[in-house]
Coordinates of all heavy atoms in Angstrom, one line a residue:
R340 N 113.3 98.8 84.2 CA 113.0 98.3 85.5 C 113.8 97.0 85.9 O 114.2 96.9 87.0 CB 111.5 98.0 85.6 CG 111.0 97.7 87.0 CD 109.5 97.8 87.1 NE 108.8 96.9 86.2 CZ 108.1 97.3 85.2 NH1 108.0 98.6 84.9 NH2 107.5 96.4 84.4
M341 N 113.9 96.1 84.9 CA 114.7 94.9 85.2 C 116.1 95.2 85.5 O 116.8 94.6 86.4 CB 114.6 94.0 84.0 CG 115.2 92.6 84.3 SD 114.6 91.7 85.7 CE 112.9 91.3 85.1
L342 N 116.7 96.2 84.8 CA 118.1 96.6 85.0 C 118.2 97.2 86.4 O 119.2 96.9 87.1 CB 118.5 97.6 84.0 CG 118.9 97.1 82.6 CD1 119.1 98.3 81.7 CD2 120.1 96.3 82.7
L343 N 117.3 98.0 86.9 CA 117.4 98.6 88.2 C 117.0 97.7 89.3 O 117.5 97.9 90.4 CB 116.4 99.9 88.2 CG 116.8 101.0 87.2 CD1 115.7 102.1 87.2 CD2 118.2 101.6 87.5
D344 N 116.2 96.7 89.0 CA 115.8 95.8 90.1 C 116.7 94.6 90.2 O 116.6 93.8 91.2 CB 114.3 95.3 89.8 CG 113.3 96.4 90.0 OD1 113.7 97.4 90.5 OD2 112.2 96.2 89.6
N345 N 117.6 94.4 89.3 CA 118.4 93.2 89.3 C 119.7 93.4 90.1 O 120.8 93.0 89.6 CB 118.8 92.8 87.8 CG 119.1 91.3 87.6 OD1 118.6 90.5 88.4 ND2 119.8 91.0 86.6
D346 N 119.6 94.1 91.2 CA 120.8 94.3 92.1 C 121.9 95.0 91.3 O 123.1 94.8 91.7 CB 121.3 93.0 92.7 CG 120.2 92.3 93.6 OD1 119.5 93.0 94.2 OD2 120.2 91.1 93.5
N347 N 121.5 95.8 90.4 CA 122.5 96.6 89.6 C 123.6 95.7 88.9 O 124.7 96.1 88.6 CB 123.2 97.7 90.4 CG 122.2 98.7 91.0 OD1 121.1 98.8 90.5 ND2 122.6 99.4 92.0
K348 N 123.2 94.4 88.8 CA 124.2 93.4 88.3 C 124.8 93.8 86.9 O 126.0 93.7 86.7 CB 123.6 92.0 88.3 CG 124.5 90.9 88.0 CD 123.9 89.6 88.2 CE 124.8 88.4 88.1 NZ 124.2 87.1 88.2
H349 N 123.9 94.2 86.0 CA 124.3 94.5 84.7 C 124.4 96.0 84.4 O 124.8 96.5 83.4 CB 123.4 93.9 83.6 CG 123.3 92.4 83.8 ND1 124.3 91.6 83.5 CD2 122.2 91.6 84.1 CE1 123.9 90.3 83.7 NE2 122.7 90.3 84.1
L350 N 123.9 96.8 85.4 CA 123.8 98.3 85.2 C 125.1 98.9 85.1 O 125.3 99.8 84.2 CB 123.0 98.9 86.4 CG 122.6 100.4 86.2 CD1 121.7 100.5 85.0 CD2 121.9 100.8 87.5
S351 N 126.1 98.5 85.9 CA 127.4 99.1 85.9 C 128.1 98.8 84.5 O 128.7 99.7 83.9 CB 128.3 98.5 87.0 OG 127.7 98.9 88.2
Y352 N 127.9 97.6 84.0 CA 128.5 97.2 82.7 C 127.9 98.1 81.6 O 128.6 98.7 80.8 CB 128.2 95.8 82.4 CG 128.6 95.3 81.0 CD1 130.0 95.1 80.7 CD2 127.7 95.1 80.0 CE1 130.3 94.7 79.5 CE2 128.0 94.7 78.8 CZ 129.4 94.5 78.5 OH 129.7 94.1 77.2
I353 N 126.5 98.3 81.6 CA 125.9 99.0 80.5 C 126.3 100.5 80.6 O 126.6 101.2 79.6 CB 124.4 98.9 80.6 CG1 124.0 97.4 80.2 CG2 123.6 99.9 79.7 CD1 122.5 97.1 80.3
I354 N 126.3 101.1 81.8 CA 126.6 102.5 82.0 C 128.0 102.7 81.5 O 128.3 103.7 80.8 CB 126.4 102.9 83.5 CG1 124.9 103.0 83.8 CG2 127.1 104.2 83.8 CD1 124.7 103.3 85.3
T355 N 129.0 101.9 81.9 CA 130.4 102.1 81.5 C 130.5 101.9 80.0 O 131.2 102.7 79.4 CB 131.3 101.1 82.2 OG1 131.0 101.1 83.7 CG2 132.7 101.3 81.9
K356 N 129.8 101.0 79.5 CA 129.9 100.7 78.0 C 129.4 101.9 77.2 O 130.0 102.3 76.2 CB 129.2 99.4 77.7 CG 129.3 98.9 76.2 CD 128.7 97.6 76.1 CE 129.0 97.0 74.7 NZ 128.4 97.7 73.6
W357 N 128.2 102.4 77.6 CA 127.6 103.5 76.9 C 128.3 104.8 77.1 O 128.4 105.6 76.2 CB 126.1 103.6 77.3 CG 125.3 102.5 76.7 CD1 125.8 101.4 75.9 CD2 123.9 102.2 76.8 NE1 124.8 100.6 75.6 CE2 123.6 101.1 76.1 CE3 122.9 102.9 77.5 CZ2 122.3 100.5 76.1 CZ3 121.6 102.4 77.4 CH2 121.3 101.2 76.7
L358 N 128.8 105.1 78.3 CA 129.6 106.3 78.5 C 130.9 106.3 77.7 O 131.4 107.4 77.4 CB 129.9 106.5 80.0 CG 128.7 106.8 80.9 CD1 129.1 106.9 82.4 CD2 128.0 108.1 80.5
S359 N 131.4 105.2 77.5 CA 132.7 105.1 76.7 C 132.5 104.9 75.2 O 133.4 104.8 74.5 CB 133.6 104.0 77.3 OG 132.9 102.7 77.1
S360 N 131.2 104.9 74.8 CA 130.9 104.5 73.4 C 131.2 105.7 72.4 O 131.2 105.4 71.2 CB 129.4 104.2 73.3 OG 128.6 105.3 73.6
K361 N 131.3 106.9 72.9 CA 131.5 108.1 72.0 C 130.2 108.4 71.2 O 130.2 109.1 70.2 CB 132.7 107.9 71.1 CG 134.0 107.9 71.9 CD 135.2 107.9 70.9 CE 136.5 107.9 71.7 NZ 137.7 108.0 70.8
Q362 N 129.1 107.8 71.7 CA 127.8 108.0 71.0 C 126.9 108.9 72.0 O 126.6 108.4 73.1 CB 127.1 106.7 70.7 CG 127.7 105.8 69.7 CD 127.5 106.4 68.3 OE1 126.6 107.2 68.0 NE2 128.2 105.9 67.3
T363 N 126.7 110.1 71.6 CA 125.9 111.0 72.5 C 124.6 110.4 72.9 O 124.2 110.6 74.0 CB 125.7 112.4 71.8 OG1 127.0 112.9 71.4 CG2 125.0 113.4 72.7
F364 N 123.9 109.8 71.9 CA 122.6 109.3 72.2 C 122.6 108.2 73.3 O 121.7 108.0 74.1 CB 121.9 108.7 71.0 CG 120.4 108.6 71.1 CD1 119.6 109.7 71.2 CD2 119.9 107.3 71.3 CE1 118.2 109.5 71.3 CE2 118.5 107.1 71.4 CZ 117.7 108.3 71.4
L365 N 123.6 107.3 73.3 CA 123.8 106.3 74.3 C 124.1 106.9 75.6 O 123.7 106.4 76.7 CB 124.8 105.2 73.9 CG 124.5 104.4 72.6 CD1 125.6 103.4 72.3 CD2 123.2 103.6 72.9
C366 N 124.9 107.9 75.6 CA 125.2 108.6 76.9 C 123.9 109.2 77.5 O 123.7 109.2 78.7 CB 126.3 109.7 76.7 SG 127.9 109.1 76.2
R367 N 123.1 109.8 76.6 CA 121.8 110.4 77.1 C 121.0 109.3 77.6 O 120.2 109.5 78.6 CB 121.1 111.1 75.9 CG 119.8 111.7 76.3 CD 119.1 112.4 75.1 NE 119.9 113.5 74.6 CZ 119.9 114.7 75.1 NH1 119.1 115.0 76.1 NH2 120.6 115.7 74.6
A368 N 121.0 108.1 77.0 CA 120.2 106.9 77.5 C 120.6 106.6 78.9 O 119.8 106.1 79.7 CB 120.4 105.7 76.6
V369 N 121.9 106.7 79.3 CA 122.3 106.5 80.7 C 121.6 107.4 81.6 O 121.1 107.0 82.7 CB 123.8 106.7 80.8 CG1 124.2 106.6 82.3 CG2 124.6 105.6 80.1
M370 N 121.5 108.7 81.2 CA 120.8 109.7 82.0 C 119.3 109.3 82.1 O 118.7 109.4 83.2 CB 121.0 111.1 81.4 CG 120.3 112.2 82.2 SD 120.5 113.8 81.4 CE 119.4 113.6 80.0
D371 N 118.7 108.9 81.0 CA 117.3 108.6 81.0 C 117.0 107.4 81.9 O 116.0 107.3 82.6 CB 116.8 108.3 79.6 CG 116.8 109.5 78.7 OD1 116.7 110.6 79.3 OD2 116.9 109.3 77.5
I372 N 117.9 106.4 81.9 CA 117.7 105.2 82.8 C 117.7 105.6 84.3 O 116.8 105.3 85.0 CB 118.8 104.2 82.5 CG1 118.6 103.5 81.2 CG2 118.8 103.1 83.6 CD1 119.7 102.5 80.8

Side-chain angles (χ1 to χ4, degrees):
R340 188 165 60 249
M341 184 59 69
L342 282 172
L343 296 174
D344 292 347
N345 205 24
D346 299 324
N347 298 344
K348 190 171 183 180
H349 302 296
L350 190 60
S351 296
Y352 173 76
I353 290 177
I354 287 175
T355 306
K356 188 173 188 293
W357 287 0
L358 289 178
S359 62
S360 67
K361 296 187 178 182
Q362 294 282 345
T363 304
F364 195 74
L365 292 181
C366 292
R367 182 183 294 276
V369 171
M370 181 181 71
D371 289 340
I372 289 174

